[in-house]
Amino acid sequence: MILEMKVPSPGESIKEVEIATWLVKDGDYVEKDQAIAEVDSDKATLELPAEASGIITLKAEEGDAVAVGSVVCLIDTEGAKPSSSAPVAEAKPVVVVEVPKKEEVKTAPAAPVSYASSTPSPAARKILDEKNIQPSDIIGTGKDGRITKDDAVNATPSMGTPTGGSRGSERTKLSMLRRKVAERLVAAKNETAMLTTFNEVNMTPINLLRNEYKEAFKAKHGGLGLGYMSFFTKAVTRALKMYPDVNSMMDGDYKIAFDFYDISIAVSGPKGLMVPVVRNAENLTFRGVEADIKRLAIKARDGQITVDDMTGGTFTITNGGVFGSMLSTPIINPPQSGILGMHNIIERPIAVNGKVEIHPMMYVALSYDHRIIDGRESVGFLVAVKEALENPVELLCDNNPKKAFEL
């Protein structure tokens, strides 16, 4: 029996996917539920499992865009499972080895038509060697293009002259996910009135609090770390309650305001930056925030993130500090109206009560859509985040850290 495998729908609004990688080869024997391909949608990368066991015949190439519901492969369910010594797996690598050889054959004839065919005279050759200039970089003025001594004397290496190092290049097609991210980022720049406001946070209070409770927190909650992100998430939800316009978004001539706080957290995955959502962050404890972020980060790292994980979100937090960024202007994650950028922590001298002290400081940035958020709200929001982070015991822990950390 020949089974036609069709592309399942990854989500309501997705009509097309792209074959990112075939995990099997044409003619392979596959087991039921074995992952046979990775497919990219404009929101996530998903694995395609085999619907039955048998011999597979591929009907689409890597990089092909295929409509949801179309046939991408056939499975002969009556095909016999080959023995471990079957030569099927060895067939395709031979083709891969031959490809660069074919490319070399195509590029080899290019040499005779270059200026390298111009032969320098012995005197010119000596001068060019002293100047470390290749004859191929000189146009000879002698008979039949021969490079003369005068040509060599007058030759000057240019800034753009190749020096013999590698000058290769590679052209690869962006994944559908990456193309969609690029499209959304360009749209955010072109279709919003985006501005960025900055502030700085003294991280000493949070550091003291973490140093005091992080070991107990870890022991109590099964190895879960007490990181900076939970403090920032709690500070953001508090500030969003104070400045609801930052938790709103544009819809044509209307403003949509939300009474919940779904915080998108930018995390790095093998396919690039992912932005999964922590739902109803306002109702989560420190442990709840840390657990949810860890769960989503692991899914992103393992390529298991789903469309549902990244759908929605009313505000975004991104942490460029983990990569060493000191300051940046993050781009809004549409259709949201605001994004908070965290940066690296550096000890700097600051004035405290009229005296100079060294403290761990972080620059924070809020990019916002000025069409819906005014300067007063944007600056007030960022100040509220700063106040909460610099006074976490009172404003984030209700003066009871042990209770807040569930110890």
Side-chain angles (χ1 to χ4, degrees), residues 250-298:
M250 292 282 291
D251 183 17
D253 294 332
Y254 294 85
K255 178 181 77 172
I256 302 176
F258 302 97
D259 62 356
F260 57 89
Y261 307 93
D262 285 355
I263 307 300
S264 303
I265 306 290
V267 297
S268 181
K271 297 290 184 178
L273 194 66
M274 304 287 183
V275 193
V277 182
V278 176
R279 311 287 178 184
N280 288 106
E282 75 278 8
N283 297 330
L284 297 178
T285 62
F286 281 87
R287 180 191 61 81
V289 173
E290 292 290 352
D292 216 22
I293 291 175
K294 182 179 180 179
R295 175 183 64 84
L296 294 169
I298 291 174

Side-chain angles (χ1 to χ4, degrees), residues 24 38 45 118 127 130 192 205 210 223-224 258 399:
V24 296
E38 290 182 351
T45 298
S118 300
I127 295 171
E130 291 174 352
T192 65
R210 290 181 67 242
L224 200 62
F258 302 97
N399 288 312

Side-chain angles (χ1 to χ4, degrees), residues 80-404:
K81 184 175 183 179
S83 64
S84 58
S85 60
V88 176
E90 299 299 325
K92 196 166 182 178
V94 177
V95 179
V96 177
V97 173
E98 290 179 355
V99 171
K101 292 181 181 179
K102 291 180 180 179
E103 291 178 352
E104 291 172 6
V105 172
K106 291 179 181 179
T107 56
V113 300
S114 72
Y115 290 126
S117 60
S118 300
T119 305
S121 66
R125 166 69 70 181
K126 182 179 180 181
I127 295 171
L128 292 177
D129 288 344
E130 291 174 352
K131 290 186 173 183
N132 196 25
I133 299 176
Q134 297 297 319
S136 59
D137 300 330
I138 307 299
I139 301 176
T141 60
K143 185 179 180 180
D144 297 326
R146 188 175 178 85
I147 299 173
T148 66
K149 180 180 179 180
D150 287 341
D151 294 332
V153 170
N154 296 325
T156 304
S158 67
M159 293 296 291
T161 300
T163 58
S166 175
R167 294 176 59 78
S169 63
E170 182 181 6
R171 179 184 174 90
T172 57
K173 187 177 181 180
L174 295 176
S175 68
M176 182 176 288
L177 175 61
R178 195 66 193 178
R179 296 199 303 270
K180 187 64 177 181
V181 169
E183 178 186 323
R184 287 165 61 85
L185 292 178
V186 171
K189 291 284 287 185
N190 294 338
E191 298 173 9
T192 65
M194 194 178 81
L195 291 178
T196 305
T197 184
F198 304 93
N199 214 315
E200 61 179 358
V201 177
N202 185 345
M203 300 296 290
T204 297
I206 286 181
N207 284 348
L208 292 174
L209 203 56
R210 290 181 67 242
N211 290 340
E212 183 177 355
Y213 291 102
K214 65 181 180 181
E215 293 302 328
F217 188 92
K218 186 175 182 179
K220 175 71 173 181
H221 303 302
L224 200 62
L226 180 60
Y228 290 112
M229 193 58 75
S230 55
F231 287 92
F232 273 82
T233 302
K234 301 287 283 184
V236 161
T237 56
R238 172 182 176 272
L240 289 174
K241 293 176 183 178
M242 298 170 63
Y243 297 93
D245 280 350
V246 185
N247 197 51
S248 304
M249 59 183 64
M250 292 282 291
D251 183 17
D253 294 332
Y254 294 85
K255 178 181 77 172
I256 302 176
F258 302 97
D259 62 356
F260 57 89
Y261 307 93
D262 285 355
I263 307 300
S264 303
I265 306 290
V267 297
S268 181
K271 297 290 184 178
L273 194 66
M274 304 287 183
V275 193
V277 182
V278 176
R279 311 287 178 184
N280 288 106
E282 75 278 8
N283 297 330
L284 297 178
T285 62
F286 281 87
R287 180 191 61 81
V289 173
E290 292 290 352
D292 216 22
I293 291 175
K294 182 179 180 179
R295 175 183 64 84
L296 294 169
I298 291 174
K299 292 183 71 174
R301 182 198 64 194
D302 295 343
Q304 301 297 318
I305 206 79
T306 67
V307 174
D308 289 342
D309 290 327
M310 296 190 292
T311 300
T314 61
F315 186 86
T316 296
I317 301 175
T318 181
N319 184 7
V322 296
F323 304 111
S325 172
M326 184 186 77
L327 192 62
S328 67
T329 55
I331 298 179
I332 295 170
N333 180 20
Q336 298 173 17
S337 298
I339 179 172
L340 179 73
M342 301 166 56
H343 300 92
N344 61 355
I345 301 171
I346 298 178
E347 289 193 342
R348 290 191 283 111
I350 62 171
V352 179
N353 297 324
K355 296 180 180 180
V356 176
E357 297 182 5
I358 305 295
H359 285 272
M361 303 297 294
M362 176 193 287
Y363 289 119
V364 288
L366 172 71
S367 291
Y368 62 98
D369 189 347
H370 208 350
R371 296 177 303 166
I372 196 171
I373 303 170
D374 290 332
R376 184 183 70 85
E377 282 75 20
S378 63
V379 174
F381 171 89
L382 201 55
V383 169
V385 170
K386 171 185 170 69
E387 290 173 345
L389 295 172
E390 293 185 340
N391 191 6
V393 173
E394 178 184 350
L395 300 182
L396 301 181
C397 299
D398 198 24
N399 288 312
N400 192 340
K402 287 188 175 181
K403 182 179 179 180

